[in-house]
Amino acid sequence: MASSFFQRLFKPAQAQDAPAHPPALPELIIAAQALAQSLRSGPHGNRRAGDGHEFWQFRPHQPNEPASLIDWKQSARSPSPDLLWVREQEQHAPRPLFLWVDSSASMRWQSTKTLPSKYNTALTDALALGQAALLGGEDVGILGLKSRFNGRQALPRLAHNLINHAPHNPADTMQTFPSFAGLPPHAPLLLVSDFLWDDAMMDQCLTALATHPGPTALLAILDPQEEQIPFHGSIRFTSCEAEPNLTLPATESLHDAYQTRLKAHFAQLQQGFGGARSFFRFHITSQPALPVLAECHHFLRGRA
């Protein structure tokens, strides 16, 4: 098996890279579309009259306005027969959602062939949330790219760019944290990774997040064997990211220490960028995506 977090936790001494497997784009798009349909809800409003679909308020009809604007049912309830009412819709104000998916080598790992890799799970989750935003009339961007995507049919282009923007050189096993240059200050931001990073990467992430005033969601993708190490006896761990290999005897004796270390690692991340504008959840690759994606979707739309 392979997971670089074991290497950092137990500090071993030899190295081996893990190959990266490119995701299958059609399957990702189909899965993302199905999830997005379940997440779909109306567009954002900015509390002004406009051409949206959400009701905002009734107001008196003005003499210079056409009679077609009158809401006759509401006007029939008016205490004054001379007072007619117009139903106003809330103005639709698109908010760009920005995505980033960690494409480093450790994300390509899966503990068994019956489970998706962490990277494929991360892509599906990000694209589902991106498609839900597109269906709501919002723009979607990718950190590091100038282009934004919009329209109900933009998902294939979004998926293509999200995958191809990431480095796929097997020798480039570690991905640096993305620049926030060009990110609108209050734009919702979604970061998807296993977040099993070393201290330098963690500091880089927390420093960048501290400068972003908009809502930020971190979705941590873990394989079930990373959430709970289920091993007994002697196990050899091989690294995905040019870190030392490791053989451990009596791995059952390390379960409690591993859980303590794992919880402390994620507590550092949550505490470092906590607050009302932050959201952090786990998605284990063996578990359904919809519950956590629904929470994340509501948060990014300002409904958490």
Side-chain angles (χ1 to χ4, degrees):
M1 67 160 295
S3 176
S4 60
F5 189 64
F6 288 109
Q7 271 56 34
R8 289 194 288 277
L9 180 61
F10 297 116
K11 305 185 185 341
Q14 282 178 359
Q16 177 179 334
D17 292 340
H21 301 286
L25 188 59
E27 287 83 354
L28 286 174
I29 292 174
I30 291 171
Q33 285 175 328
L35 287 167
Q37 287 296 334
S38 300
L39 297 173
R40 184 182 176 185
S41 56
H44 286 291
N46 68 358
R47 311 311 300 168
R48 289 189 292 170
D51 59 356
H53 301 290
E54 301 292 330
F55 169 73
W56 181 33
Q57 66 177 5
F58 288 110
R59 62 165 177 81
H61 178 258
Q62 303 299 315
N64 61 338
E65 293 180 318
S68 60
L69 295 179
I70 297 173
D71 188 300
W72 294 105
K73 185 178 291 187
Q74 181 65 22
S75 298
R77 302 189 186 102
S78 175
S80 171
D82 297 325
L83 185 58
L84 302 176
W85 294 93
V86 172
R87 174 190 290 265
E88 285 193 331
Q89 309 303 113
E90 188 176 1
Q91 187 181 73
H92 180 196
R95 287 196 310 172
L97 168 66
F98 280 80
L99 310 175
W100 177 75
V101 174
D102 184 352
S103 64
S104 56
S106 67
M107 288 292 291
R108 313 304 173 99
W109 183 68
Q110 60 200 104
S111 59
T112 70
K113 293 182 179 180
T114 60
L115 291 174
S117 71
K118 293 187 291 181
Y119 184 53
N120 277 28
T121 301
L123 283 172
T124 302
D125 288 356
L127 290 172
L129 291 164
Q131 174 69 348
L134 292 171
L135 291 175
E138 299 168 6
D139 292 349
V140 178
I142 299 171
L143 280 184
L145 289 183
K146 293 183 179 179
S147 301
R148 293 188 193 175
F149 304 87
N150 55 70
R152 301 166 66 89
Q153 306 302 319
L155 180 61
R157 291 186 293 113
L158 174 64
H160 176 80
N161 280 270
L162 187 61
I163 292 170
N164 287 280
H165 179 57
H168 292 291
N169 180 2
D172 185 14
T173 56
M174 295 293 289
Q175 179 168 331
T176 58
F177 194 73
S179 168
F180 283 13
L183 178 65
H186 296 283
L189 175 62
L190 173 67
L191 306 177
V192 191
S193 172
D194 57 14
F195 298 103
L196 298 178
W197 298 337
D198 59 23
D199 291 340
M201 183 78 164
M202 189 71 75
D203 289 343
Q204 190 180 8
C205 171
L206 294 175
T207 299
L209 291 175
T211 67
H212 181 57
T216 303
L218 271 61
L219 193 54
I221 310 297
L222 295 182
D223 186 275
Q225 287 192 6
E226 292 173 322
E227 182 195 26
Q228 301 279 345
I229 54 172
F231 311 119
H232 292 77
S234 179
I235 300 292
R236 182 174 184 263
F237 299 101
T238 60
S239 174
C240 293
E241 296 184 345
E243 293 175 319
N245 293 342
L246 175 65
T247 300
L248 292 175
T251 51
E252 64 274 10
S253 67
L254 299 171
H255 290 180
D256 290 344
Y258 177 80
Q259 285 299 309
T260 299
R261 177 68 182 90
L262 193 68
K263 289 177 182 177
H265 178 82
F266 286 112
Q268 176 191 359
L269 182 61
Q270 290 176 267
Q271 292 167 5
F273 90 114
R277 62 183 178 85
S278 64
F279 174 97
F280 182 92
R281 292 293 186 277
F282 291 100
H283 179 195
I284 310 304
T285 60
S286 60
Q287 297 176 0
L290 191 57
V292 68
L293 292 185
E295 284 189 79
C296 191
H297 178 61
H298 287 188
F299 168 80
L300 290 169
R301 292 176 54 82
R303 297 181 179 179

